[in-house]
Amino acid sequence: MTLDPTNPNQENTQDITDKSAEIQNKMSDAQKKLALIEVEGKAGTEDYGIKVYLNGRYEATKVTIDPSVLEQPTQVVCDLMASAITDASRKAEIAIQNEMMKLFQNFDLTGK
């Protein structure tokens, strides 16, 4: 790049452009890593309950329901399902925050 001596902000503009590209690359990497995260949300007891699995995009990837749960009233099944989803969502949020902190902990936004 040839610098124009009459434009004192030219280097600063290039630094901003470079940082912008770096941020875009980091975000692309983050999205790929987040897609690989999987968390398990549970409701009920170890031998009796519902499990919901979410990825880092909050997409449900799997649900398991103990057959004995299905013998319960519909409202009990619905309550357990809602609790398992909530549990998985909270765990996903924590996992996502941890992953983002790892990705950006050494990222310098000062341009130095």
Side-chain angles (χ1 to χ4, degrees), residues 53-72:
Y53 298 83
L54 298 180
N55 65 20
R57 294 182 182 146
Y58 295 97
E59 298 167 334
T61 57
K62 184 170 127 180
V63 175
T64 61
I65 302 173
D66 185 283
S68 61
V69 170
L70 299 176
E71 296 169 7
Q72 299 301 313

Side-chain angles (χ1 to χ4, degrees), residues 19-68:
K19 280 293 180 190
S20 176
E22 189 176 352
I23 290 170
Q24 287 176 342
N25 288 336
K26 286 273 190 186
M27 289 305 297
S28 177
D29 291 345
Q31 289 174 348
K32 290 173 188 171
K33 287 185 178 189
L34 292 179
L36 300 176
I37 290 173
E38 184 173 85
V39 297
E40 175 189 78
K42 299 178 189 177
T45 65
E46 193 63 36
D47 299 325
Y48 167 88
I50 295 176
K51 295 178 184 177
V52 173
Y53 298 83
L54 298 180
N55 65 20
R57 294 182 182 146
Y58 295 97
E59 298 167 334
T61 57
K62 184 170 127 180
V63 175
T64 61
I65 302 173
D66 185 283
S68 61

